[in-house]
Amino acid sequence: QVQLVESGGGLVQAGGSLRLSCAASGRTFSSVVMGWFRQAPGKEREFVAAISRMGGSTPYADSVKGRFTISRDNAKNTVYLQMNSLKPEDTAVYYCAAKDSILYITTTHYDYWGQGTQVTVSS
């Protein structure tokens, strides 16, 4: 089993940067795909970015490509999401997730989820 805890959310002005962290625990961490998702009020949860076990695959949603960067430090059991050039439409609760299969990593079909951290981008 994997437990995930997000941190690093907060309030930032448009154009600013924020770095989210996801601390993972569990024996299967190194063997799973990690992803970041977000959910705004009244909206469905959407895919943001994912990273494979060795970092060889890092798909991004079109809305964040070029602005966000996902990374993974398996030695620290931590996944990061560096968010630059933030826009008000990035405002959402951000969740990290873990998956035990390489298939369909850009969907919401993940096995474990964190509690979420709020990101608010002001105008």
Side-chain angles (χ1 to χ4, degrees):
Q1 293 183 316
V2 176
Q3 292 182 317
L4 308 171
V5 180
E6 303 96 333
S7 62
L11 176 64
V12 64
Q13 291 185 339
S17 298
L18 207 59
R19 191 186 195 189
L20 305 183
S21 299
C22 176
S25 62
R27 67 182 69 183
T28 63
F29 175 76
S30 295
S31 64
V32 300
V33 173
M34 303 297 297
W36 284 98
F37 296 77
R38 65 187 182 186
Q39 187 168 22
K43 304 294 183 181
E44 293 186 345
R45 190 170 300 183
E46 65 176 354
F47 170 80
V48 176
I51 184 167
S52 59
R53 181 181 180 180
M54 301 300 295
S57 180
T58 55
Y60 295 89
D62 289 340
S63 59
V64 306
K65 192 171 185 178
R67 299 188 297 120
F68 291 10
T69 303
I70 189 170
S71 60
R72 180 173 185 165
D73 188 338
N74 290 334
K76 296 182 178 180
N77 291 336
T78 303
V79 178
Y80 305 95
L81 185 68
Q82 178 66 47
M83 304 184 293
N84 298 326
S85 302
L86 283 163
K87 305 174 181 179
E89 51 262 45
D90 295 319
T91 296
V93 176
Y94 283 70
Y95 300 88
C96 66
K99 184 176 176 63
D100 60 10
S101 172
I102 193 66
L103 300 177
Y104 305 111
I105 63 174
T106 62
T107 74
T108 58
H109 299 151
Y110 280 62
D111 301 297
Y112 307 97
W113 295 86
Q115 83 288 349
T117 185
Q118 177 71 45
V119 172
T120 302
V121 184
S122 64
S123 301

